[in-house]
Amino acid sequence: MVSFKNPDSPVQPQPGIYGWFAEKDSKRRICIYVGMAGLKDTFITKGTLFRGVSELQRNTFTSNSPHYNKLDTDFIVGTAIRFFEKRGYNCIWEHLSNDPTKELTFAISLKPILQNLNNAKIKNEFRILKNENGYWQDRKNGEGVREAEREIFSVLEKAIL
């Protein structure tokens, strides 16, 4: 089950830092991902809640134009949430800070399973990079999504052992 711990505090859209966590039996808490919103000026303000919902819905499958040979952060984070839910964890989104420049600080302290601690970027093994240009773009269908899920699940299985 997914829950949003503090979606209205602060009032959204709010720039800052947010995190995704997996909890089981109120004893084990795993940080899945720490993200940031609002550092870049955009026409439409995208706050931390917007980013969390986008990831939960897996809004973007692949985005590294023009190659489209690796998976997007939205899809990776959303798939990791599904992975933990299938294993009996409750997944929780939480707004952590109003300062979007603190992403790396939070990543270092919370040690998210999906990210490198030296730069807060998604670890390459979760990107599922393919040597064929357009690989994931050509697989924007049910079969391709299931393939990508299986590969991410496999990497996650190894990561949590």
Side-chain angles (χ1 to χ4, degrees):
M1 178 176 164
V2 171
S3 61
F4 289 82
K5 185 173 182 177
N6 55 350
D8 297 326
S9 179
V11 174
Q12 295 283 339
Q14 174 65 47
I17 305 299
Y18 64 95
W20 277 106
F21 302 90
E23 293 183 353
K24 193 172 197 176
D25 304 324
S26 301
K27 298 174 190 167
R28 185 165 185 206
R29 182 172 167 135
I30 297 170
C31 182
I32 299 170
Y33 179 74
V34 171
M36 141 323 257
L39 193 58
K40 300 175 190 171
D41 286 332
T42 59
F43 177 70
I44 298 172
T45 304
K46 295 178 181 167
T48 58
L49 182 59
F50 173 90
R51 291 293 307 133
V53 170
S54 180
E55 291 157 355
L56 180 61
Q57 294 177 331
R58 305 189 310 176
N59 281 345
T60 308
F61 187 56
T62 182
S63 62
N64 66 317
S65 176
H67 304 294
Y68 298 108
N69 62 345
K70 61 183 177 178
L71 298 173
D72 185 78
T73 297
D74 280 4
F75 185 81
I76 295 165
V77 174
T79 300
I81 292 166
R82 289 179 182 207
F83 171 87
F84 283 104
E85 285 187 303
K86 286 183 177 196
R87 281 148 185 84
Y89 287 82
N90 293 321
C91 292
I92 300 154
W93 172 93
E94 183 177 352
H95 179 91
L96 301 171
S97 168
N98 293 343
D99 186 350
T101 66
K102 300 290 186 193
E103 182 182 28
L104 185 57
T105 301
F106 277 89
I108 290 168
S109 78
L110 296 172
K111 298 175 180 39
I113 197 165
L114 297 179
Q115 290 163 278
N116 293 308
L117 300 184
N118 61 339
N119 62 10
K121 301 288 184 197
I122 294 282
K123 293 175 182 173
N124 285 333
E125 58 263 34
F126 291 109
R127 293 275 181 203
I128 317 296
L129 177 66
K130 300 296 182 177
N131 290 328
E132 177 185 327
N133 280 346
Y135 185 89
W136 291 117
Q137 183 74 9
D138 294 341
R139 285 163 181 76
K140 282 187 172 182
N141 55 44
E143 183 180 321
V145 167
R146 286 187 296 278
E147 175 188 352
E149 284 176 343
R150 281 191 305 273
E151 293 201 36
I152 291 171
F153 280 20
S154 176
V155 176
L156 280 165
E157 285 284 353
K158 294 172 191 166
I160 64 168
L161 291 178

